[in-house]
Amino acid sequence: MIKTLEWTNAGVRFIDQRRLPTEEIYVTCGNYREVATAIRDMIVRGAPAIGVAAAMGIALGIRDSQAGSYSELRPELELICDTLARTRPTAVNLFWAIRRMRERFDSLAAEPVEQIKRALIDEAQLMYLADIAACEAMGRNGAVLMPSSGGVLTHCNAGALATCGYGTALGVIRAAVEAGKKIHVFADETRPFLQGSRLTAWELTKDGIPTTVISDNMAGAMMKQGKIRAVVVGADRIAANGDVANKIGTYTVAVLAREHGIPFYVAAPWSTVDLATPNGDHIPIEQRAAREVTHFAGKQIAPDGIAVENPAFDVTPNRYIAAIITERGIAKTPYSEALQKLANSVELSTASV
Amino acid sequence: MIKTLEWTNAGVRFIDQRRLPTEEIYVTCGNYREVATAIRDMIVRGAPAIGVAAAMGIALGIRDSQAGSYSELRPELELICDTLARTRPTAVNLFWAIRRMRERFDSLAAEPVEQIKRALIDEAQLMYLADIAACEAMGRNGAVLMPSSGGVLTHCNAGALATCGYGTALGVIRAAVEAGKKIHVFADETRPFLQGSRLTAWELTKDGIPTTVISDNMAGAMMKQGKIRAVVVGADRIAANGDVANKIGTYTVAVLAREHGIPFYVAAPWSTVDLATPNGDHIPIEQRAAREVTHFAGKQIAPDGIAVENPAFDVTPNRYIAAIITERGIAKTPYSEALQKLANSVELSTASV
């Protein structure tokens, strides 16, 4: 099994996703600042993985503190959380994870420092296990939506490498394959970072799931040729109305899918749903460095000084989405009601426990 | 002015388009087999440029012949034409140019060998000059369709580097800018060969036309943000019904343009129109090596042995196209009639000369 990230006594250990697929190298971040850098530099990426990485970063920062009491720990927690919150703006799982760790910290005001440290490490590890369980539940919920055979297109990497294991979109595909469906994955290479050709192709090949890599601009031609029967992607943030921010290019795939009458599915853990954001227009979109577009493996591929756009994400309006698959269940249009219902149902069940 | 290709006494001289934008290197092909290799390996690319390169290759092959008579030259002509015809299957300009050179050869049966050699060199050079004139006429015809200001998206390179000079789609943009329109070009980088980021951005920057490079998968987001007011692309073959084969990804751009209510224009010389091909389903689509997708600048970017699709072109059905801009005039839907009318009008005017 791929270990995307892992808590160790030496720190948080990541597979370096910049080096895949040709080099399988692990790096250990020995303090929370190194974890923040790993998130910003995309050693680790994928909304669910970023969230758990941040939680582990907070646990690590607090563990290393010299503070003697809860009240001395608090300003350190603020600094640690601020540092991690400033790494990447779009994936809401980051902020969800930071909030959850803060809430856990708040609940420990009466505890001695060693207890607090232990409790935060435990909380981060619980989030790690819950993420894998959520992916498996998404897989069970979503597998039924996959065709019994044929091509399924995915964009970017919403797999084991984007989560603590199993994956969101790729979790749905894995569960469908485990259920006997004969799926052939088409993986958009996903410029500029190539998460599709480098990461999705790598992890699916390891699992023996047939995969074909295409350039992003081939998706339309593949659909027109009848090679694609469904699309499934992950998400970095889902607004209250069901608009979905995901890797740049997702919107283009959604438009193409609708034009060809192909269902377009989104799979994401509930922590990606941001009911405080009314719609996609309010989701902050990260702009990354021009060099990701102008250079490739150190080689310059555009003229000196050329202007570049490099938004890391785009927003797919809810009307293009056939279903949003979460561990709590499947939401369909109208999304505002469907997502609210999933939110309420679990609050009720939690309240009744 | 950029010299994409040029007849010289030493052979056909090309700017090596694989090395741009960082290296401006010229290579001279001293015989027709080297010209064929230059076309196959994409030292020269772009449908109009390929056509004239093949014509010059034929002129070169015949010039180098030791044959003593027209009848001795004929089998050599067959071999030369066959070799050049086998380089790339989609761009019809290649076959158009070969046919035109054959017809010129056929007309020279009564001439001595030295006259035949001179006449074929002259014919190829005439085609060179006619190509530039056609681009300039396309520019005049198409400039009026461009917005008075704002973003215009283009895909691949349909510029000076794809022709003998000025360009088809970029010729329309150049003419619009010369007419005072304030156009900002968005250039799709165009994986896998990166004609957009490497070539279009390079030649437009040389001309001082503002240009922004984007990954192919950003086109949808740019349109949704209102940054694109028109799309103009070139063509490798236009069927009798107006279906257009062009660089892979063009179809995706056309679908996106229609979704956003943005006009999608095609600019191409009349030699790209293939009235013998009824519709796009009959256009042969070249499949290129997997390595173009799996490797970049020598670096492997996909796992060992992964399956790849690499069609070099796709077909955009006529219903997505707002107008086809040629040097003979503009065709609009219904395309079968409009293209036939352009064909007839020039045959009539030729007949009346």
Side-chain angles (χ1 to χ4, degrees), chain B residues 4-5 9-10 29 83 103 130 139 164 184 215 218 234 237 252 276 281 287 289 292 294:
Chain B
T4 303
L5 73 170
N9 286 335
C29 295
T83 303
E103 287 170 1
C164 299
H184 187 112
S215 304
M218 294 173 194
R237 190 182 302 213
T252 287
D281 294 343
Q287 301 287 331
E292 289 185 352
T294 59

Side-chain angles (χ1 to χ4, degrees), chain A residues 327-349:
Chain A
E327 74 276 29
R328 294 188 179 188
I330 290 172
K332 293 192 176 185
T333 192
Y335 284 101
S336 297
E337 287 102 298
L339 291 173
Q340 194 58 58
K341 201 171 162 187
L342 286 180
N344 292 343
S345 68
V346 174
E347 277 165 26
L348 284 171
S349 74

Side-chain angles (χ1 to χ4, degrees), chain B residues 26-93:
Chain B
Y26 290 81
V27 295
T28 298
C29 295
N31 59 58
Y32 78 89
R33 287 178 305 278
E34 287 180 14
V35 173
T37 302
I39 294 170
R40 191 182 299 110
D41 292 352
M42 297 175 72
I43 288 172
V44 63
R45 29 65 52 199
I50 288 171
V52 175
M56 288 183 176
I58 293 168
L60 189 62
I62 293 295
R63 189 199 68 176
D64 294 345
S65 170
Q66 305 299 315
S69 69
Y70 174 86
S71 56
E72 281 176 39
L73 271 177
R74 174 156 288 286
E76 296 194 27
L77 180 83
E78 298 301 334
L79 177 63
I80 294 164
C81 290
D82 280 2
T83 303
L84 286 158
R86 281 184 192 143
T87 50
R88 301 196 67 195
T90 304
V92 79
N93 312 61

